[in-house]
Amino acid sequence: MTLRAAFLSTVLPFGPWQAELQRHMPELALDPAPADPGAIEVALAWQPPAGALAHYPNLRLVHALGAGVDELLADPALPPGVPVVRLVDPMMTRAMGEYVQLQVLRLHRQDLAYRAQQHGREWRELPQPGAGERTVGILGLGVLGTEAALRLAVLGFDVAGWSRREQRLKGIKSYFGVDGLATLAAQSDILVCLLPLTPETENILDRRLFARMKRGAALINCGRGAHLVEADLLSALDQGRIGAAVLDVFRTEPLPQDHPFWTHPAIIVTPHAAAASNPVTAAPVVADALRRHAAGRPIINLVDRSQGY
Ligand code: NDP
Ligand code: OXD
């Protein structure tokens, strides 16, 4: 039986998503502008046009075409009570794991300092601690944080994570709650943010947290831009409290041309590129969720709308 779905995105291209989804689910009729809104049961959404989610009176499911659902949940057009599924694509998980490994290794092996030395043609070897002497703290031990944590542990780092509930991961220390955050921050040489953006986690990377961290520790933010209080980071860098930062996500994206992060010598900027959704690898995941919905079977990766992730 045909399942009718609306494709609602101002940023993702319809053609490739349509082609891949069709390949995995021929019974899906996907349309970016359905003529009969009443026939639409499912919305596939990522930064939908303003108000679009309110146009479908018989909407039964919204599947996000990305992992973080903060924007979708904040959309006033999202009908209350409609289940929302987030994208958990193993390929994206691997991509995030690679990104965190890359950036942790850059910080650990002092790549920023060596780049600066090269610029000045300076031949000087810096003292190099071993990976086991560095603690990497990961805020958020969900799908992506767990992948990053396990990869870093394989590289020999001392790894600890923070989540809402205690996690049991072999070889990874687990902290939770307010006290857990303070303990993790105090131990970390490199702190990685892989939290979802919720009212509890907004502005979590602020001067109070930086004050708890080791002097000169580094920060990697690949969660959301609103986790970080930008002015607090700039002053922490100026004071040497934070030694370096790698930022993939920003309050305003694209990062404005005149933003001080672009030229700061201790900041590495990447353009929200840590783990992008890809129709080729996401389509089978989305098709599985839609089939489960159509068959009335339990859907995995449902968002807890009351928790915000
Ligand atoms: P998950 O939902 O799988 O994991 C979220 C983790 O954060 C869980 O461990 C959860 O704790 C923890 N958490 C949530 N709220 C709190 C809190 N108040 N205090 C402590 N811990 C908390 O998410 P993913 O791992 O899939 O994704 C994380 C985020 O990564 C996304 O929401 C998105 O913002 C970002 N992202 C960024 C991308 C990029 O390219 N930069 C790409 C994809 C995602 P618990 O386990 O106890 O529930
Ligand atoms: C996502 C992202 O959440 O791209 O999928 O940040």
Side-chain angles (χ1 to χ4, degrees):
M1 219 175 89
T2 304
L3 180 69
R4 298 196 182 279
F7 180 88
L8 306 176
S9 181
T10 51
V11 288
L12 298 178
F14 175 62
W17 283 91
Q18 150 82 347
E20 287 303 321
L21 283 160
Q22 206 65 67
R23 216 155 63 77
H24 289 277
M25 199 176 179
E27 70 275 29
L28 179 70
L30 187 62
D31 197 329
D36 177 8
I40 294 297
E41 205 175 312
V42 171
L44 306 186
W46 192 246
Q47 298 183 23
L53 282 162
H55 290 157
Y56 306 98
N58 297 315
L59 202 60
R60 297 279 173 274
L61 186 76
V62 175
H63 200 309
L65 297 180
V69 290
D70 46 292
E71 277 189 47
L72 203 52
L73 295 189
D75 188 330
L78 179 69
V82 171
V84 174
V85 189
R86 69 199 190 90
L87 182 60
V88 178
D89 172 354
M91 177 68 189
M92 271 176 93
T93 306
R94 282 195 291 276
M96 184 59 84
E98 284 171 9
Y99 181 90
V100 174
Q101 274 181 309
L102 169 71
Q103 304 302 351
V104 166
L105 284 173
R106 283 183 88 178
L107 295 164
H108 166 58
R109 296 306 304 245
Q110 310 180 74
D111 195 42
L112 269 170
Y114 282 129
R115 290 304 100 226
Q117 287 187 195
Q118 181 180 345
H119 195 65
R121 298 173 189 234
E122 184 185 357
W123 183 275
R124 183 164 59 95
E125 192 178 341
L126 301 171
Q128 181 60 59
E133 296 167 71
R134 303 257 204 219
T135 299
V136 184
I138 304 195
L139 304 181
L141 269 187
V143 174
L144 302 179
T146 297
E147 173 80 7
L150 295 175
R151 282 175 180 245
L152 293 170
V154 169
L155 291 176
F157 290 98
D158 177 49
V159 186
W162 183 67
S163 44
R164 243 166 17 100
R165 296 156 289 202
E166 188 176 12
Q167 302 287 338
R168 292 184 192 280
L169 289 174
K170 195 159 179 274
I172 314 291
K173 282 176 268 174
S174 168
Y175 297 101
F176 57 99
V178 177
D179 294 347
L181 177 61
T183 311
L184 180 80
Q187 289 179 3
S188 299
D189 297 288
I190 301 172
L191 191 68
V192 181
C193 177
L194 268 171
L195 288 164
L197 181 63
T198 68
E200 286 76 42
T201 66
E202 189 172 2
N203 298 326
I204 195 165
L205 306 174
D206 69 352
R207 96 176 91 83
R208 285 169 309 167
L209 187 73
F210 301 151
R212 294 202 165 105
M213 290 168 64
K214 291 183 185 172
R215 191 164 181 81
L219 175 73
I220 300 176
N221 186 17
C222 32
R224 284 289 181 259
H227 284 132
L228 175 66
V229 180
E230 296 186 343
D232 288 2
L233 174 64
L234 288 169
S235 29
L237 286 165
D238 286 349
Q239 293 155 12
R241 170 137 288 293
I242 297 287
V246 178
L247 306 174
D248 184 55
V249 287
F250 303 90
R251 283 183 184 262
T252 306
E253 295 182 1
L255 187 63
Q257 285 295 310
D258 59 352
H259 200 289
F261 287 171
W262 281 116
T263 49
H264 198 294
I267 294 181
I268 295 171
V269 167
T270 55
H272 199 143
S277 53
N278 175 345
V280 176
T281 53
V285 177
V286 175
D288 177 64
L290 299 192
R291 284 221 178 80
R292 284 170 177 269
H293 161 77
R297 286 188 286 131
I299 300 183
I300 39 187
N301 299 316
L302 270 180
V303 171
D304 179 342
R305 288 185 61 168
S306 66
Q307 293 297 341
Y309 70 100

